[in-house]
Amino acid sequence: MSARALPSGREMRETLLAAQISPERMNGLVLDKPDSLGRGAVVRSAPSLMTVHVLVIDDDVRLFEVLESYLTQNSVRSTHASNGLAGLAALESGAFDAVLLDVMMPGLDGLAVLKKIRDKSRLPVIMLTAKGDETDRVVGLELGADDYLGKPFSPRELLARLRAVLRRTELDPSKEHLSVGGVSVDVGARQATVDGKVADLTGIEFDLLLALMRRAGRVVPRSSLLEQAGRSDVTVSDRTVDVHISHLRKKLFDDPPRLIKTVRGVGYVMAKGTE
């Protein structure tokens, strides 16, 4: 695969100036200066993270805008929540691979948000803390943060830490086994069973089931379900997704639905157990 064309250092700096942001330094972010040849601070040869979707919970809108631009250049999709409550709501309604969480926010602060996340999920979380604030870093790690990064920081370092956290928390697919409410999945064998009996699933049905089981208890929007299933190569309508889910339910004997539930107007959620 050929490398993607990325903006030059000059183009990045012009974007920042247009937004009235200091090119070298802004609140919470340090942009690496171009080298002697004028090359900007971009990662040119790093592996693609095209399926990664991160939630940034931070009240600094300008910080997010610059981060979003940099992460997008490196094939990482990002969504912004400007406060703790909005971040928790986003986690309930969307599917994310990691969270970038600011500690100092008005209202519900980052540590309180982290505690609520850990009550329900092992989703990777990188804390963004004030530089030198050792207490917040220690408390955050004790509450279950996967890493921390002191402000101001370099987007290059953030991306490297994100990749490292994802590598540490990623399961070996060949050894991954999931089980929810009598339905079990052997990822390496690409086989699903219902109460011990093999379910005859098509490839896309298996991928949809796996995506939902990996995010059990979290709503997966209909519009992004195929992408979360690693099937962004398939272009279909929302109605077609509904048909695939209907077929999947029948093969799992999930009628009326007790495992794969519809969240009207949003998408689907796999129950964490029989309810």
Side-chain angles (χ1 to χ4, degrees):
M1 181 180 295
S2 61
R4 296 179 60 189
L6 299 175
S8 67
R10 179 179 179 181
E11 289 170 336
M12 172 69 82
R13 297 164 86 81
E14 288 176 349
T15 299
L16 295 174
L17 288 172
Q20 297 183 333
I21 304 172
S22 169
E24 281 78 31
R25 181 177 296 270
M26 59 173 288
N27 183 25
L29 184 65
V30 174
L31 295 178
D32 298 316
K33 297 180 180 180
D35 59 19
S36 59
L37 298 178
R39 292 176 297 205
V42 293
V43 179
R44 299 180 184 277
S45 59
S48 173
L49 291 175
M50 293 186 70
T51 61
V52 173
H53 185 190
V54 300
L55 175 64
V56 182
I57 307 177
D58 196 309
D59 60 333
D60 190 333
V61 177
R62 286 186 172 181
L63 170 62
F64 171 74
E65 290 173 348
V66 178
L67 275 182
E68 180 186 33
S69 174
Y70 187 86
L71 292 174
T72 299
Q73 292 168 29
N74 289 278
S75 303
V76 179
R77 192 157 59 98
S78 56
T79 295
H80 184 224
S82 59
N83 59 64
L85 290 176
L88 292 173
L91 288 171
E92 289 294 329
S93 61
F96 300 95
D97 298 287
V99 176
L100 307 179
L101 178 60
D102 184 30
V103 173
M104 297 299 294
M105 292 184 292
L108 198 65
D109 67 21
L111 296 177
V113 173
L114 175 62
K115 188 173 185 304
K116 290 183 178 295
I117 292 175
R118 284 293 171 259
D119 286 342
K120 297 182 177 181
S121 169
R122 289 302 308 166
L123 187 67
V125 176
I126 298 177
M127 303 294 293
L128 308 179
T129 69
K131 189 173 183 179
D133 197 340
E134 181 180 357
T135 300
D136 284 343
R137 293 200 300 269
V138 171
V139 173
L141 291 171
E142 289 179 345
L143 287 175
D146 296 276
D147 202 352
Y148 69 86
L149 194 58
K151 293 182 177 182
F153 56 80
S154 160
R156 186 197 297 261
E157 181 180 4
L158 173 66
L159 185 62
R161 286 179 180 269
L162 175 61
R163 287 193 171 108
V165 165
L166 292 174
R167 283 195 299 270
R168 291 199 302 268
T169 57
E170 183 178 26
L171 292 172
D172 180 350
S174 66
K175 300 178 181 178
E176 187 178 2
H177 296 266
L178 301 171
S179 182
V180 176
V183 177
S184 298
V185 167
D186 182 333
V187 180
R190 285 187 65 81
Q191 184 179 83
T193 59
V194 183
D195 296 328
K197 297 181 180 180
V198 176
D200 184 19
L201 304 183
T202 65
I204 195 168
E205 288 166 357
F206 180 87
D207 291 334
L208 291 172
L209 174 61
L210 180 58
L212 291 169
M213 291 184 73
R214 281 174 169 167
R215 296 162 178 81
R218 289 191 283 158
V219 177
V220 182
R222 182 183 287 102
S223 60
S224 65
L225 181 53
L226 283 174
E227 181 182 353
Q228 298 299 331
R231 299 300 296 263
S232 55
D233 57 308
V234 180
T235 303
V236 297
S237 66
D238 286 351
R239 176 56 185 160
T240 308
V241 173
D242 294 338
V243 171
H244 283 304
I245 292 295
S246 177
H247 292 167
L248 179 58
R249 282 170 169 159
K250 290 177 181 178
K251 293 179 180 181
L252 299 179
F253 305 104
D254 190 31
D255 187 18
R258 62 183 181 86
L259 288 175
I260 303 176
K261 298 187 176 183
T262 301
V263 180
R264 191 175 299 276
V266 181
Y268 297 97
V269 60
M270 170 70 77
K272 289 188 176 181
T274 54
E275 297 180 359

